[in-house]
Amino acid sequence: MLGSTKLVEDVTVNLLRIAVTSLPDDVLGALRDAEREETSEVGRTQLRTILENVAAADRLSVPICQDTGMLTFFISGRCLPDLEEGIRRGMSRATSEVPLRANAVHPITRKNPGNNSGKGVPTIHYDYSDSDFTQVTVMPKGAGSENMSVLAMLTPSQGLKGIKRLVLDTVIKAGGKPCPPTIVGVGIGGSADQAMLLAKQALLRPLNIGNPDQQLAALESELKQALNLTGIGPMGLGGKTTVLGVRVEEAYTHTASLPVAVCLQCWAARRASARIARDGSVQYSREGFW
Ligand code: SF4
């Protein structure tokens, strides 16, 4: 087995190449369904162009969008030593090899180190457990959709009605800016930071896998239906496909709080996962392991 830092570096480069040059099958399937069912001619043309663009990127192994995003990593399973160092090296290498756009800048001076690294980046979330493998998932997310994220500290009395209103208001206000059709991640409960993490984690669940919680599944389906009645449509140019799906996650919260986060994901809903076994063998998946 390679040294674990070098192994993670190589896995990170491979994962990023997979993630930015292709779309997971569930997203691709939803875009194809939408193109078939869209009733607006302009909307259908937008979806057709998106699909042609994705096919060309896959064929040429180039990024499907010029904004290869900021990178969030989700780590689960077995703890690997020096994992973070391996990810940082891989991310820097991928920036020149894939290539990725150098998006990471200092928040105030806007100085760009040119390799997507810097203080606090990439974002890495850990959820270790006793397992035979380490799972690394990456979500590259463009600024157009990330900039539309919203966190609201609702009052408990606003309840489900307030949650639905916030999701609708967020999508309507965003209009075409997040490059619709979007996938809408909603995080309900926890603390303020946890709600936003839940909203982002919700985006990892493939569109063809329903919410195991019946109440949340019903909420997802109701919100999707309502959002697709807004008429915003593909790229905001009108149509009945404003969202490809709504994904909701929840956590218990303080009795006096109701944090709700909404995180919009553009049509370029990129993600990829790898499982690194104890013997160093690696399995990759664009959809994740579900
Ligand atoms: S929001 Fe998404 S599709 Fe639009 S420019 Fe950014 S990464 Fe590309």
Side-chain angles (χ1 to χ4, degrees):
M1 176 174 167
L2 285 172
S4 66
T5 311
K6 174 65 177 145
L7 177 62
V8 173
E9 175 186 332
D10 289 347
V11 167
T12 303
V13 174
N14 293 338
L15 263 184
L16 285 167
R17 182 171 284 111
I18 295 168
V20 303
T21 59
S22 59
L23 280 182
D25 284 347
D26 60 293
V27 179
L28 209 46
L31 285 166
R32 287 188 184 127
D33 289 348
E35 195 260 337
R36 258 193 313 275
E37 289 158 24
E38 179 58 64
T39 45
S40 150
E41 188 51 46
V42 179
R44 208 166 44 245
T45 305
Q46 293 303 312
L47 290 165
R48 204 175 303 130
T49 307
I50 286 171
L51 286 165
E52 286 168 6
N53 175 68
V54 173
D58 203 8
R59 197 170 58 248
L60 302 168
S61 194
V62 295
I64 57 176
C65 180
Q66 36 77 35
D67 184 355
T68 47
M70 287 293 278
L71 308 174
T72 301
F73 288 84
F74 299 88
I75 312 297
S76 58
R78 195 168 77 92
C79 176
L80 262 187
D82 302 324
L83 188 108
E84 191 168 329
E85 180 57 23
I87 288 177
R88 281 184 193 284
R89 288 189 198 173
M91 197 179 66
S92 180
R93 227 178 85 199
T95 302
S96 55
E97 285 183 18
V98 173
L100 308 177
R101 192 169 78 182
N103 282 325
V105 300
H106 186 279
I108 297 169
T109 65
R110 313 308 288 184
K111 189 170 181 290
N112 189 334
N115 61 357
N116 273 312
S117 62
K119 187 177 178 184
V121 289
T123 307
I124 307 178
H125 299 290
Y126 297 93
D127 183 19
Y128 285 131
S129 63
D130 188 16
S131 171
D132 283 339
F133 54 81
T134 305
Q135 184 164 313
V136 181
T137 295
V138 66
M139 180 194 286
K141 195 160 181 298
S145 57
E146 186 75 351
N147 288 349
M148 299 298 110
S149 306
V150 163
L151 169 70
M153 301 304 286
L154 301 184
T155 58
S157 63
Q158 287 176 281
L160 196 54
K161 207 170 156 191
I163 294 168
K164 292 178 191 172
R165 175 172 288 275
L166 178 73
V167 175
L168 280 164
D169 285 352
T170 301
V171 172
I172 290 170
K173 198 168 159 216
K177 287 182 191 156
C179 294
T182 55
I183 302 169
V184 183
V186 184
I188 303 173
S191 49
D193 53 325
Q194 199 181 359
M196 191 46 85
L197 178 57
L198 286 170
K200 196 157 271 189
Q201 281 173 327
L203 296 170
L204 293 174
R205 178 159 45 89
L207 290 165
N208 51 8
I209 296 184
N211 197 313
D213 181 304
Q214 280 190 7
Q215 194 188 4
L216 296 185
L219 179 61
E220 288 177 357
S221 147
E222 185 186 343
L223 285 170
K224 179 182 174 188
Q225 231 178 339
L227 292 168
N228 281 334
L229 291 174
T230 58
I232 295 168
M235 300 308 285
L237 295 173
K240 67 173 195 174
T241 320
T242 299
V243 301
L244 297 175
V246 178
R247 322 311 271 158
V248 183
E249 294 295 332
E250 66 177 4
Y252 271 45
T253 190
H254 192 287
T255 184
S257 301
L258 179 53
V260 184
V262 184
C263 187
L264 301 186
Q265 173 63 283
C266 58
W267 64 261
R270 298 155 289 187
R271 59 179 201 273
S273 299
R275 274 188 174 175
I276 307 171
R278 283 180 192 274
D279 63 2
S281 59
V282 185
Q283 203 187 342
Y284 292 94
S285 168
R286 280 183 303 202
E287 287 72 43
F289 300 94
W290 293 86

